[in-house]
Amino acid sequence: MQNKKSLHRHLLTIYVIYFVALFIGFMATIVPSFSRGWNDAENMVNQSEMLGDGRIYSVSAPLVAGRGETLNIEGLPEGVTSNIQQIALRVRVPENYTIGNAFKVNANSGWAYLLMAVMGLSFLAVFVLFALIINSLRKSIRNEQPICQCNISRTRWIGILILVAEFCRAAMLYINIREASRLLADTSLEVATAFPLNYWEVIVGILFLFMAEVFSVGTQLSEEQKLTI
């Protein structure tokens, strides 16, 4: 009983820390990013209105290391040089905003906007599933009940959503890379055209799928052992 109380306290502590970290991350990262994105969108709309007919979209892409343009920064210490490794562009096209192109604010592609939305929703779902799993474990220990099997499917879904979010992020960046390559084709800048997949995120997603299968096998063996007894 003492061990169960200790486990319950540990899970409750993790539950609280999880939501505190989530709140801090939301206030420190998501809110500034949303505010910056909103300001950028307003600036693009204002620039479009000032320039007359036309709309503006943004493009961001990495450049090949060591081949970027050198930057002259005033006040930089002697012996220190800098060059461009990431470029962000704003492009104006001579067409008015319509329902068809209203979402082409990123790399002039509606697919990029859709991928960004799917990525955001996937991460939101992962946060919710984490909270549900921690809360379910806490209740199981508190009520001295077996761990709910729904946590197996939740863990599996976390792995799937992490993979979906990463592939969406990589595909969105690749659309930007292709557009930047087209725009910079006649310049001295060379865009890094490799598919920007973060393999660490892929490994994390696969590990969650593996954990779900381990939990599933463990649950089945436990049930078979009870039936044998």
Side-chain angles (χ1 to χ4, degrees):
M1 181 63 69
Q2 186 64 31
N3 187 37
K4 290 182 178 180
K5 289 183 178 180
S6 177
L7 284 173
H8 181 261
R9 286 196 299 269
H10 290 167
L11 285 173
L12 182 60
T13 302
I14 294 173
Y15 198 58
V16 173
I17 292 174
Y18 173 77
F19 278 102
V20 170
L22 190 62
F23 177 77
I24 294 174
F26 180 81
M27 296 302 296
T29 304
I30 297 177
V31 171
S33 297
F34 179 81
S35 177
R36 185 166 55 250
W38 183 270
N39 291 332
D40 289 343
E42 284 187 338
N43 290 334
M44 284 193 291
V45 172
N46 292 334
Q47 287 181 18
S48 296
E49 292 176 350
M50 291 174 60
L51 294 172
D53 293 339
R55 64 179 181 85
I56 298 175
Y57 66 89
S58 62
V59 182
S60 178
L63 300 178
V64 176
R67 299 186 185 180
E69 293 286 343
T70 301
L71 290 177
N72 294 321
I73 302 176
E74 185 178 353
L76 199 64
E78 185 179 355
V80 179
T81 59
S82 62
N83 65 347
I84 304 172
Q85 296 297 322
Q86 183 83 16
I87 191 167
L89 305 171
R90 282 190 176 181
V91 185
R92 180 176 176 267
V93 291
E95 59 182 34
N96 294 325
Y97 282 102
T98 63
I99 297 177
N101 61 31
F103 296 99
K104 293 183 178 181
V105 294
N106 190 351
N108 198 29
S109 172
W111 287 108
Y113 188 91
L114 177 62
L115 290 167
M116 182 173 60
V118 172
M119 179 183 66
L121 292 174
S122 297
F123 278 122
L124 179 62
V126 167
F127 293 147
V128 173
L129 289 171
F130 264 123
L132 290 174
I133 289 174
I134 296 173
N135 189 49
S136 176
L137 292 174
R138 186 177 62 85
K139 287 182 178 179
S140 296
I141 295 174
R142 183 188 62 191
N143 300 329
E144 299 184 11
Q145 294 178 349
I147 296 176
C148 181
Q149 292 190 2
C150 62
N151 289 325
I152 297 174
S153 60
R154 288 170 180 169
T155 305
R156 188 177 290 117
W157 270 108
I158 287 175
I160 293 172
L161 289 170
I162 289 175
L163 293 175
V164 168
E166 176 52 31
F167 278 102
C168 285
R169 184 199 66 83
M172 179 189 67
L173 292 179
Y174 189 68
I175 292 173
N176 276 264
I177 288 171
R178 294 292 299 273
E179 180 65 11
S181 297
R182 184 185 69 83
L183 295 171
L184 300 173
D186 297 329
T187 69
S188 61
L189 298 177
E190 184 177 353
V191 179
T193 57
F195 192 73
L197 189 65
N198 187 335
Y199 290 97
W200 173 250
E201 294 291 336
V202 174
I203 291 173
V204 171
I206 294 173
L207 283 176
F208 272 99
L209 292 175
F210 177 74
M211 284 192 298
E213 296 307 316
V214 170
F215 293 155
S216 179
V217 171
T219 301
Q220 292 177 10
L221 291 175
S222 178
E223 292 178 352
E224 290 177 2
Q225 186 178 15
K226 289 180 181 178
L227 291 175
T228 303
I229 295 175

